[in-house]
Amino acid sequence: MSERGLETRQFGHRARLALSPALALKADDQALAARTMWNLLHAWWQMMPKEKRTLANADAAIRQARRDVDFLAVLPAQAAQAVLKTYFQAWKSCWAGRADAPNFKARFRSTLTVDVPQGRDLNIVRVHRRWGMASLPKIGRVRFRWTKELPVGKQASEENRITGARLVKDTLGWHIAFRVQTLERVPEAHQGPQVGIDVGITVPLALSDGETYEHGQWLTSREQARLLGLEQRAAQRMKRRKPGERTSRRLHHTYDQIAGLRAKAKRRALDWQHKTTTDIARTYSVAVVEALQITSTVTMLTYKLARQGGTLAKVPAPGTSRRCSACGLTTPGSRQTQALFVCRNSDCGWSANADHNAARNILHLYRMGHALIPAAGRAVARRAPRVKPATAR
């Protein structure tokens, strides 16, 4: 909500934890207990009659389980309540048609997480230019990487504060994801130009004004060679394994090394996406993209443009890559390769990078009023008629 030019904004910030082996083991135990609690809740849900599937009955069941099973007692009480709330919220999302029904969390296909619902329990302080300290229930004081200013200490208030956090374990170790609430001024309308963006094949991001955003390989040549060697080693060990034989520790270790390199590449790609979308949001007032299920770049652009006073628009995708942005005609054979567009219309002959041509068409559709109109929670497109030649690049 906004008042007097101010608005409440909520966002997340993820930081790497530096845990000793003993503290990492405590975090592992809590995460395993949280996953077990979820699975017990799901089993309880399936066994109970519909009239007894209430929040109060489920709360009583998990309290009794924490008293009866010592393993579950390592999970803080508030974290156990968070599991319960998350489970019931999953069913509400299912009933509303926003998600599938919740299911058991498998050992190898689920992420280990522990929720810290109350931000005041964290007691965060900054102890160094690069490090901060936080208190985790039943774990203790831990260090985390300080890469973003957080509302702590004298900077914290009722409007600007950390409302909670979640511990998340991935291939690269444990991280803490803070939930932050701030009160900020409503941004003024962005005065920058409009731009069409095409998520290309030869160019990662091509803009209608001729700008491109490219990146290299996510792994260095040395890391790629190491990844290939690890994958070959894993394949050889799999061939030597007898049917029904348990996976050896060496093979598990090799899989962990492969996952580590892939996770490193994924994080570098995410870092590039964040930097690229931030630059676009600061430069342009309106970014127009195709209405396709594409990368998380669009999601990042949506909230980053809003924070800068800009907007994100979507237009119908059919024909944008085959239509000439100079004459407005779709002539067979114009898209000669993935990288080159040469208009076959005898009166035109315009040529350019194919992705830039598509970006120009995307922006032109928006300017002609063919943006998608949200209705009843879903996007509905107007019928895209034949368009006139684009007049602006």
Side-chain angles (χ1 to χ4, degrees):
M1 59 183 298
S2 62
E3 182 181 2
R4 296 181 181 178
L6 300 177
E7 64 178 1
T8 300
R9 186 169 68 90
Q10 296 181 345
F11 64 92
H13 171 61
R14 181 162 165 161
R16 177 167 57 89
L17 286 173
L19 301 181
S20 65
L23 295 180
L25 183 60
K26 289 183 179 180
D28 289 346
D29 290 342
Q30 287 193 14
L32 292 172
R35 186 177 66 192
T36 303
M37 183 72 72
W38 173 283
N39 290 337
L40 290 175
L41 267 174
H42 190 61
W44 174 88
W45 179 276
Q46 292 181 323
M47 291 187 297
M48 287 292 105
K50 290 185 178 181
E51 63 273 10
K52 293 187 177 181
R53 295 175 181 173
T54 64
L55 187 62
N57 290 340
D59 180 54
I62 67 170
R63 290 177 184 271
Q64 185 63 40
R66 295 184 74 245
R67 290 192 293 267
D68 295 342
V69 183
D70 294 337
F71 172 66
L72 297 179
V74 301
L75 187 67
Q78 290 185 342
Q81 291 295 319
V83 174
L84 174 61
K85 292 179 181 179
T86 303
Y87 183 78
F88 269 73
Q89 184 59 45
W91 274 113
K92 290 180 181 179
S93 299
C94 173
W95 296 330
R98 297 190 299 268
D100 295 333
N103 207 336
F104 286 102
K105 290 190 175 181
R107 178 181 178 185
F108 296 109
R109 295 193 301 272
S110 60
T111 304
L112 293 180
T113 62
V114 182
D115 205 60
V116 185
Q118 300 296 331
R120 62 175 179 268
D121 296 336
L122 295 169
N123 298 319
I124 298 173
V125 295
R126 186 173 186 177
V127 297
H128 187 267
R129 181 171 62 91
R130 296 184 177 180
W131 294 98
M133 296 283 291
S135 296
L136 301 180
K138 291 194 176 184
I139 294 179
R141 296 289 287 175
V142 299
R143 292 196 309 161
F144 66 90
R145 191 74 169 173
W146 192 282
T147 56
K148 184 181 180 67
E149 290 298 324
L150 298 172
V152 298
K154 295 182 179 180
Q155 299 178 356
S157 63
E158 185 63 29
E159 295 82 12
N160 300 278
R161 58 193 175 93
I162 295 176
T163 60
R166 172 171 291 186
L167 306 183
V168 183
K169 186 178 184 181
D170 61 14
T171 309
L172 300 178
W174 278 101
H175 297 75
I176 183 168
F178 297 106
R179 294 187 289 270
V180 186
Q181 174 184 297
T182 61
L183 189 64
E184 299 180 355
R185 292 189 177 276
V186 177
E188 298 181 357
H190 200 297
Q191 300 301 317
Q194 301 172 347
V195 68
I197 303 176
D198 180 65
V199 181
I201 298 176
T202 58
V203 178
L205 287 181
L207 276 56
S208 57
D209 59 3
E211 184 69 35
T212 59
Y213 288 91
E214 302 185 52
H215 58 76
Q217 297 293 329
W218 302 127
L219 294 176
T220 64
S221 57
R222 185 174 180 179
E223 290 170 336
Q224 292 179 20
R226 183 165 176 260
L227 178 60
L228 178 60
L230 289 171
E231 290 174 338
Q232 292 174 344
R233 185 188 307 171
Q236 292 171 358
R237 288 176 176 171
M238 280 293 295
K239 289 181 180 179
R240 292 196 297 264
R241 194 177 66 168
K242 298 178 181 178
E245 183 181 0
R246 295 184 61 182
T247 305
S248 65
R249 292 186 179 180
R250 288 186 177 181
L251 184 54
H252 272 304
H253 180 62
T254 303
Y255 284 150
D256 290 342
Q257 291 176 306
I258 293 173
L261 285 171
R262 290 176 177 171
K264 183 180 292 186
K266 184 177 180 180
R267 291 185 66 178
R268 289 172 180 170
L270 188 64
D271 179 69
W272 178 84
Q273 287 182 333
H274 273 292
K275 291 178 179 178
T276 300
T277 52
T278 297
D279 185 64
I280 293 175
R282 290 174 177 172
T283 307
Y284 302 98
S285 61
V286 179
V288 191
V289 297
E290 293 177 316
L292 297 174
Q293 295 294 332
I294 51 181
T295 63
S296 58
T297 302
V298 173
T299 303
M300 295 180 186
L301 277 173
T302 302
Y303 74 83
K304 291 186 179 183
L305 282 164
R307 287 165 57 181
Q308 298 291 335
T311 56
L312 180 80
K314 295 183 179 182
V315 296
T320 55
S321 63
R322 299 189 303 271
R323 184 185 305 118
C324 177
S325 60
C327 67
L329 299 178
T330 302
T331 308
S334 296
R335 183 71 181 265
Q336 296 188 350
T337 64
Q338 292 290 352
L340 181 62
F341 182 93
V342 179
C343 183
R344 290 299 185 90
N345 180 15
S346 58
D347 297 330
C348 180
W350 186 79
S351 63
N353 178 278
D355 296 328
H356 285 303
N357 176 71
R360 283 160 51 95
N361 283 323
I362 290 170
L363 178 61
H364 185 61
L365 284 173
Y366 170 77
R367 290 176 172 175
M368 293 294 292
H370 302 304
L372 297 183
I373 305 172
R378 64 184 186 276
V380 178
R382 295 175 178 170
R383 184 177 63 88
R386 291 185 60 185
V387 295
K388 299 178 180 179
T391 58
R393 295 178 182 265

